[in-house]
Amino acid sequence: MSQAPTARKTIETLLQEHRHFQPPASFAAQANARDPSIYERADQDHEAWWASWAEKLHWDRKWDQVLHWDLPFARWFVGGKLNASVQCLDRHVQAGLGTRVAFHWEGEPGDARTLTYAHMLEGACRVANGLRALGIRKGDRVTLYMPMVPELAMAMHGCARIGAIFSVVFAGFSATSLKDRIQDQQARLVLCADGCWRRGKLLDLKTVVDEAVAECPSVERVVVWRRGAGAATASRKQARDLEWSAAFDHQPATCAPESMDAEDPLYILYTSGTTGKPKGILHTTGGYLTAAYATSNLVFDLKPETDVFWCTADIGWVTGHSYVVFGPMANGVTQVMYEGAPNHPNPDRFWELVARHKVSIFYTAPTAIRAFMKWGDEWPAKHDLSSLRLLGTVGEPINPEAWVWYLHHIGRERCPIVDTWWQTETGSILITPLPGITRTLPGSATRPFPGVGAALVDEQGNEVQGAGGGYLVLTRPWPSMLRGIWGDNERYHKTYWSRFPGRYFAGDGCKRDEEGNYWLLGRVDDVMNVAGHRLSTMEIESALVDHPAVAEAAVVGVPHDLKGQTPVGFVLLRAGHQPTPTLAQDLIEHVAKLIGGLARPERVIFAAELPKTRSGKIMRRLLRDVAEGKALGDTTTLADPKVVEELKQMYEEKES
Ligand code: PRX
């Protein structure tokens, strides 16, 4: 067994990291990106660089202008017209590649399906025609609440085909979270599955949808895809429900695509910010596809004729949007899609899939890599992983220990690793190695993708030159950047463009070494990264305060060996409520119920008082120190310094 991995050491060890790895010569010789001068060329004229990628897509009408930049609002490929589903489906089928496998899908119980690009095109067209028959038109919003099944990708392409704006909500979110999102976007239709399999259990998704939609008057219809394989759930058919088979299966298998403006919305995807209300991140069509296509091609070195690509992210997150449904499909590559848990029935489920489908490029999250380490080296060792030629990671800083384990036990010293930094807002990978060119270092995402402008700034916004640390900002617009927050332009401006005027504030701390490599250090705001999932402390605090026993709550993210971070809640009870273990458990479940299991606090600590500044602001930094068992930081601005000592004692009692 390997040692229990430690995410905790990430930041401390990161900067002492001097190991480095050159791209293997055989890899470099065949790489899509071979010529290091592309960095310089893209830098000199980033518009021409991005336009050279846009030209590889199929446009109904070419753009008149590459970029119109009216800070902070960008328009890319102005005047151009295209359809997203055409890039990912029709182009390949028309080129005679309809029989190429788009997805090797596997359900958790072991049922499997193979879908070609022709199947995916037909499926998307049937959905598109069915949506039109239900009265859905260009610009209408459609919410998707589905597990990892090919029908989800078909539905996204089906919406894109007729210009409906889709919004996928991760199927682990609660009814309340789903309701909030549907209400925010005023969706007319919900597409869902009745259930899905996770760790041997059937999750009932339809009941969650029923609960959410009961409070969403904008929703006219709910279309239900049946998971089958014994997956009948307890949910009941409602008057507005339609079976997927009745709504779509009998529709024609072709559908003329809507010619969309490059800047027409493609999708809305919600992500957590620093307030309690999630932000509906808006992505548009032409620029988004261009960047998803280009980065898939260069970062993952896709060779569609021979590669089998597997991105393990759920489609409910941005990684699944850009690197399952759009980027790889625009490149026409074959992919693996898996429904369930990585350790069901055994911890080698992934490796068995890699071997069986001869996966050549594998993209996952550091939290998964740390789980693989914990489960033991023997699981990957049992399988023939010789098909793998490139590995990737995304979602949080990777600790060098996990990076090196990944290289050794999965990449067998042969595969380059691309550590890719980006965000829901950026739409595509922005800081990353190019695997045939870049010398990699464990824990560093290395350098900005060609054409991307990144910089570090200090508290006052002064740019840090050379080696040093600061806040990561982006200095130029890029094609897949968010175009706004759904219904809230002011928040868009305030969140991203006001802290350092003229530059996009990413919310991450970062160091740059003497060679110009970027080392991402994690969030600098009240956003947590739990097992690669983004959560806001405020959202969890609101969920705690929603409980009738709670008067006040403060939540902090504390380091966790597997998840990177985990939420811990400090709670002040209302008079008449006793701090009992049962109540603590109740509160934890209350958060899970309101947000979803992913937000469940690791623990709840009852406090007699919360540390506050004299102006009444909760000092989360001190709570973090308490939860991490660190010596207490500066408490001079505290209204009552004794509070922290008392809390610390309580926390330690709880720990022991
Ligand atoms: O803190 C950074 C971290 O994840 C945040 C973005 O989260 P989300 O929008 O959910 O998107 C995740 C998938 C793209 C970033 O602000 N992050 C993402 N990738 C990395 C990372 N931190 C360090 N290294 C990365 N490679």
Side-chain angles (χ1 to χ4, degrees):
M1 283 284 280
S2 45
Q3 291 249 303
T6 42
R8 195 179 303 258
K9 286 200 223 126
T10 308
I11 292 172
E12 286 83 9
T13 52
L14 220 45
L15 298 166
Q16 271 93 57
E17 186 56 59
H18 293 298
R19 286 171 286 188
H20 50 80
F21 299 84
Q22 289 294 353
S26 56
F27 192 103
Q30 58 75 57
N32 291 354
R34 256 174 289 200
D35 174 7
S37 73
I38 57 172
Y39 283 101
E40 216 179 293
R41 270 192 287 130
D43 208 40
Q44 276 163 8
D45 189 348
H46 73 126
E47 291 185 23
W49 160 254
W50 288 117
S52 75
W53 283 96
E55 269 155 21
K56 298 182 204 289
L57 300 177
H58 173 90
W59 293 81
D60 302 331
R61 182 186 187 277
K62 202 177 165 178
W63 55 90
D64 305 313
Q65 189 186 0
V66 175
L67 170 65
H68 181 272
W69 182 219
D70 182 10
L71 201 144
F73 297 101
R75 285 158 64 211
W76 282 87
F77 309 113
V78 183
K81 287 194 172 288
L82 78 173
N83 184 285
S85 73
V86 170
Q87 316 310 318
C88 300
L89 302 169
D90 306 57
R91 270 194 323 143
H92 311 311
V93 174
Q94 278 159 17
L97 303 172
T99 56
R100 180 178 290 164
V101 173
F103 289 107
H104 293 291
W105 177 83
E106 180 151 310
E108 194 184 72
D111 44 341
R113 291 154 66 197
T114 304
L115 288 103
T116 63
Y117 273 91
H119 291 137
M120 292 302 293
L121 174 58
E122 271 181 39
C125 287
R126 289 188 207 279
V127 170
N129 287 321
L131 291 175
R132 277 202 180 130
L134 291 170
I136 299 297
R137 297 282 173 264
K138 183 177 168 185
D140 286 343
R141 272 81 61 208
V142 175
T143 306
L144 312 181
Y145 189 74
M146 295 180 73
M148 287 294 281
V149 291
E151 279 70 15
L152 174 52
M154 276 175 203
M156 292 159 79
H157 285 302
C159 288
R161 198 149 187 103
I162 62 167
I165 307 169
F166 63 84
S167 182
V168 184
V169 177
F170 172 60
F173 274 117
S174 68
T176 311
S177 298
L178 177 60
K179 176 200 73 183
D180 290 345
R181 287 156 174 76
I182 295 174
Q183 286 181 350
D184 187 68
Q185 66 197 234
Q186 289 292 296
R188 292 185 60 195
L189 195 97
V190 174
L191 302 181
C192 71
D194 57 347
C196 65
W197 292 95
R198 188 84 194 169
R199 290 211 173 78
K201 279 207 217 107
L202 177 66
L203 305 185
D204 178 354
L205 303 179
K206 178 60 174 27
T207 302
V208 178
V209 172
D210 288 345
E211 205 183 316
V213 171
E215 294 179 59
C216 299
S218 67
V219 175
E220 296 157 26
R221 291 285 192 176
V222 174
V223 179
V224 189
W225 181 78
R226 300 277 164 197
R227 171 63 181 87
T233 65
S235 73
R236 284 219 309 257
K237 194 168 156 76
Q238 315 279 322
R240 30 130 246 264
D241 291 354
L242 264 178
E243 293 294 313
W244 183 285
S245 54
F248 301 141
D249 288 0
H250 306 294
Q251 291 290 336
T254 57
C255 171
E258 188 86 36
S259 194
M260 304 293 286
D261 192 277
E263 282 298 334
D264 275 335
L266 179 61
Y267 67 82
I268 305 167
L269 182 60
Y270 289 83
T271 191
S272 296
T274 51
T275 71
K277 187 176 167 354
K279 303 178 280 195
I281 302 300
L282 177 68
H283 283 292
T284 58
T285 307
Y288 174 79
L289 278 168
T290 299
Y293 176 75
T295 51
S296 295
N297 189 286
L298 296 185
V299 177
F300 298 120
D301 193 49
L302 295 182
K303 308 280 196 286
E305 304 75 33
T306 47
D307 273 325
V308 178
F309 180 68
W310 186 13
C311 163
T312 68
D314 194 286
I315 293 175
W317 307 110
V318 74
T319 307
H321 282 59
S322 300
Y323 299 109
V324 178
V325 176
F326 290 106
M329 291 189 79
N331 279 273
V333 73
T334 296
Q335 299 186 72
V336 167
M337 189 193 285
Y338 169 59
E339 175 187 33
N343 55 349
H344 189 86
N346 290 307
D348 60 347
R349 186 71 186 263
F350 274 15
W351 317 126
E352 193 266 319
L353 274 166
V354 167
R356 180 145 43 90
H357 293 296
K358 303 213 174 340
V359 172
S360 51
I361 303 163
F362 181 76
Y363 189 37
T364 198
T367 186
I369 299 169
R370 291 192 293 268
F372 303 144
M373 290 171 77
K374 182 172 159 240
W375 295 336
D377 306 346
E378 63 273 26
W379 295 105
K382 278 187 196 175
H383 296 275
D384 175 7
L385 304 184
S386 59
S387 57
L388 287 172
R389 64 181 193 91
L390 175 62
L391 302 175
T393 91
V394 60
E396 49 178 320
I398 183 164
N399 40 318
E401 203 185 339
W403 195 102
V404 171
W405 184 92
Y406 197 28
L407 177 71
H408 185 69
H409 292 278
I410 309 302
R412 312 261 158 100
E413 320 291 344
R414 186 186 63 242
C415 305
I417 296 180
V418 286
D419 173 359
T420 62
W421 176 89
W422 58 295
Q423 310 178 299
T424 306
E425 293 88 337
T426 71
S428 66
I429 294 168
L430 293 193
I431 302 185
T432 179
L434 292 181
I437 295 178
T438 316
R439 193 178 80 138
T440 54
L441 306 93
S444 171
T446 70
R447 59 185 295 189
F449 186 80
V452 171
L456 304 182
V457 294
D458 65 17
E459 201 69 47
Q460 284 73 42
N462 302 312
E463 196 165 325
V464 176
Q465 304 294 338
Y471 300 112
L472 177 67
V473 294
L474 301 167
T475 55
R476 289 185 188 140
W478 63 101
S480 60
M481 65 192 274
L482 77 163
R483 298 302 196 265
I485 295 177
W486 184 253
D488 200 345
N489 273 347
E490 200 185 309
R491 188 170 177 197
Y492 167 66
H493 185 268
K494 189 160 166 260
T495 310
Y496 305 106
W497 301 95
S498 67
R499 172 104 189 241
F500 302 113
R503 287 161 293 184
Y504 171 92
F505 173 51
D508 279 298
C510 187
K511 294 251 179 193
R512 192 171 42 212
D513 65 22
E514 285 77 12
E515 293 167 22
N517 293 302
Y518 286 72
W519 302 76
L520 277 306
L521 301 175
R523 302 289 306 193
V524 293
D525 50 11
D526 288 329
V527 169
M528 245 181 281
N529 198 326
V530 180
H533 301 148
R534 209 163 129 175
L535 290 168
S536 114
T537 52
M538 293 277 283
E539 232 175 314
I540 306 177
E541 283 168 8
S542 310
L544 284 169
V545 175
D546 182 78
H547 191 282
V550 177
E552 211 177 341
V555 169
V556 294
V558 301
H560 185 276
D561 283 347
L562 288 182
K563 300 180 189 169
Q565 277 186 304
T566 185
V568 167
F570 291 83
V571 163
L572 214 96
L573 291 177
R574 284 180 192 279
H577 293 274
Q578 297 310 313
T580 64
T582 317
L583 180 56
Q585 200 50 43
D586 263 14
L587 296 181
I588 290 172
E589 290 314 317
H590 192 70
V591 173
K593 183 172 179 317
L594 285 196
I595 304 178
L598 67 162
R600 193 177 263 124
E602 179 85 358
R603 124 167 37 105
V604 160
I605 310 294
F606 295 110
E609 237 177 297
L610 295 174
K612 291 194 180 148
T613 59
R614 290 191 181 97
S615 60
K617 212 169 156 242
I618 294 177
M619 295 182 78
R620 288 202 184 74
R621 178 175 54 79
L622 291 180
L623 291 174
R624 217 168 286 133
D625 287 349
V626 169
E628 287 176 34
K630 280 193 197 150
L632 296 179
D634 181 19
T635 55
T636 47
T637 51
L638 261 183
D640 180 2
K642 268 213 323 283
V643 172
V644 182
E645 267 313 325
E646 281 165 19
L647 265 180
K648 197 163 181 240
Q649 253 174 25
M650 266 191 261
Y651 191 88
E652 279 159 6
E653 273 162 28
K654 177 101 189 177
E655 284 263 87
S656 56

